[in-house]
Amino acid sequence: MEKETIKRKYNELVASLEDAKMYDGRGEYNGYVCEKCGYITATLYKEKGVTPFIIQCEKCGKAAMHKITSRNAPPADPNISEVKNWVRPTLDQLMKMSQATIDHVLNGGLVFEEELKGL
Ligand SMILES: [Zn+2]
């Protein structure tokens, strides 16, 4: 995708976000449960946007599915990860990401804050 196109689409997305008919989970915790080892990845929506139904388990690499939704932070538990934040990259950060991630973000998708370190 051309840089100018990414910039135009990103700016349109951000400008229309508050009114967009898009799931608004801000302040909501989601738990992704690994189907193989049972480890739970805890996440928190920091922004309005779309998140995947399945992510990769950080313990074993298998699929972890979104099964838990809560307004309360998860308890401290060795079987639950530190809370990972869902955020929207800035335009500068987005320009350095993969085409698949660019498509995801331009469709309203959020990414983990830790993916943005160093960008
Ligand atoms: Zn696992």
Side-chain angles (χ1 to χ4, degrees), residues 14-52:
V14 170
S16 66
L17 211 54
E18 285 300 322
D19 297 326
K21 286 188 173 45
M22 181 189 289
Y23 184 67
D24 188 358
R26 278 176 288 193
E28 183 182 286
Y29 293 90
N30 281 182
Y32 289 79
V33 183
C34 177
E35 59 184 12
K36 178 102 190 300
C37 74
Y39 187 74
I40 298 171
T41 302
T43 72
L44 172 63
Y45 279 88
K46 296 295 252 187
E47 299 182 53
K48 184 176 179 179
V50 180
T51 56

Side-chain angles (χ1 to χ4, degrees), residues 84-96:
K84 296 159 78 139
N85 295 324
W86 291 112
V87 299
R88 177 166 289 105
T90 64
L91 181 58
D92 283 348
Q93 289 168 333
L94 185 62
M95 290 293 190
K96 296 170 191 160

Side-chain angles (χ1 to χ4, degrees), residues 3-109:
K3 280 196 167 182
E4 280 307 309
T5 308
I6 296 171
K7 186 177 173 185
R8 180 175 52 78
K9 289 190 168 187
Y10 182 89
N11 288 334
E12 284 172 6
L13 172 76
V14 170
S16 66
L17 211 54
E18 285 300 322
D19 297 326
K21 286 188 173 45
M22 181 189 289
Y23 184 67
D24 188 358
R26 278 176 288 193
E28 183 182 286
Y29 293 90
N30 281 182
Y32 289 79
V33 183
C34 177
E35 59 184 12
K36 178 102 190 300
C37 74
Y39 187 74
I40 298 171
T41 302
T43 72
L44 172 63
Y45 279 88
K46 296 295 252 187
E47 299 182 53
K48 184 176 179 179
V50 180
T51 56
F53 181 63
I54 295 177
I55 61 172
Q56 197 177 36
C57 174
E58 62 185 34
K59 284 283 183 217
C60 75
K62 297 294 181 189
M65 276 190 280
H66 173 213
K67 287 190 176 169
I68 302 166
T69 299
S70 177
R71 282 273 151 193
N72 301 315
D77 184 317
N79 203 39
I80 304 175
S81 76
E82 296 279 302
V83 174
K84 296 159 78 139
N85 295 324
W86 291 112
V87 299
R88 177 166 289 105
T90 64
L91 181 58
D92 283 348
Q93 289 168 333
L94 185 62
M95 290 293 190
K96 296 170 191 160
M97 302 181 91
S98 72
Q99 189 58 57
T101 304
I102 290 171
D103 289 342
H104 169 67
V105 170
L106 292 179
N107 284 314

